[in-house]
Amino acid sequence: MARPLEFDRDQALMSALGVFWRQGYQAASVPDLLEATGLSRSSLYAAFGDKRGLYLQCLDLYTARTLGLLAQTRAEHPPLVALRVFFERTLLQPGCLLVNTTLEMAEVDDGLRDEAGVRMAQVQEAFEVCLRDAGCTPSQAAELAGFLMLINQGLRVSSRRDLTPETRQAQLDTAFKILAAAIPQAALRPPEPEPSHEA
């Protein structure tokens, strides 16, 4: 009977995610991943198949964490404020793993590039839902969610440059000024109070 795998799978994925996020897919070697996760080569391959399989699961984990952060901000703030807070909380991260993958794998590995694209579409859909909840029509929400994804990609690429936090914040401020100007004013106004039924 095969022995069960005796390690914390979630922790191993988190450790591998850190390696891929810092080094990229191609530069992250299997020895790097073994050192970070504390796994033997046989355990890593038994659990995740191979480096590519591990990377795909790391993309899933990263996407789930991203969507979870947006859901958390949605629980704390009105929809448009939640979007702003989401961007502020991720502004100083070392790029977006999904954006990084798209850039790194372009003309290298169409499969991984497309896998990142599928997950980016999930994030864009979450932006779209947020905008619909803010009062945008479905078509407006779809258009503005696409704009937000472009901003997201640009900010993540920009994070690779040696920019000050103040400069990054200014970029975000400009992006959300443009977004606010594009959103119907009815969506920006607080809801009207319910009429009183008291005599």
Side-chain angles (χ1 to χ4, degrees):
M1 178 181 296
R3 294 179 59 191
L5 298 174
E6 297 177 356
F7 66 90
D8 186 327
R9 184 186 184 88
D10 291 340
Q11 184 56 54
L13 273 174
M14 284 291 295
S15 299
L17 172 60
V19 174
F20 286 130
W21 202 350
R22 290 189 303 271
Q23 299 180 210
Y25 177 74
Q26 296 178 93
S29 67
V30 171
D32 291 335
L33 295 166
L34 296 179
E35 180 179 357
T37 60
L39 298 178
S40 67
R41 186 178 293 265
S42 60
S43 293
L44 186 144
Y45 280 92
F48 304 107
D50 55 15
K51 176 182 169 181
R52 185 189 184 88
L54 175 59
Y55 192 72
L56 288 172
Q57 292 196 40
C58 286
L59 289 180
D60 285 338
L61 174 61
Y62 180 86
T63 304
R65 289 178 58 190
T66 300
L67 294 174
L69 177 58
L70 182 55
Q72 179 184 340
T73 62
R74 286 293 313 274
E76 298 169 351
H77 304 283
L80 295 179
V81 178
L83 285 170
R84 173 63 182 254
V85 172
F86 168 80
F87 275 83
E88 289 179 340
R89 289 181 178 176
T90 60
L91 188 60
L92 298 181
Q93 291 181 355
C96 167
L97 184 65
L98 302 179
V99 175
N100 293 350
T101 302
T102 302
L103 294 173
E104 180 186 3
M105 295 294 104
E107 301 181 2
V108 174
D109 188 320
D110 290 346
L112 284 181
R113 180 203 62 196
D114 292 345
E115 291 285 353
V118 168
R119 290 158 179 80
M120 288 172 67
Q122 295 174 11
V123 177
Q124 182 169 329
E125 183 178 354
F127 291 163
E128 187 174 336
V129 171
C130 212
L131 289 161
R132 288 203 303 269
D133 289 348
C136 294
T137 66
S139 61
Q140 290 165 342
E143 181 178 0
L144 292 175
F147 167 75
L148 269 183
M149 183 53 70
L150 286 175
I151 295 300
N152 180 60
Q153 294 170 13
L155 288 173
R156 304 314 164 204
V157 173
S158 181
S159 71
R160 294 287 186 169
R161 299 168 56 199
D162 188 20
L163 301 177
T164 65
E166 293 77 15
T167 299
R168 294 181 188 179
Q169 186 65 51
Q171 292 174 335
L172 185 61
D173 290 342
T174 299
F176 271 82
K177 285 178 184 177
I178 295 170
L179 179 67
I183 290 177
Q185 290 304 303
L188 296 174
R189 289 197 296 268
E192 295 291 335
E194 292 291 330
S196 174
H197 295 291
E198 296 180 2

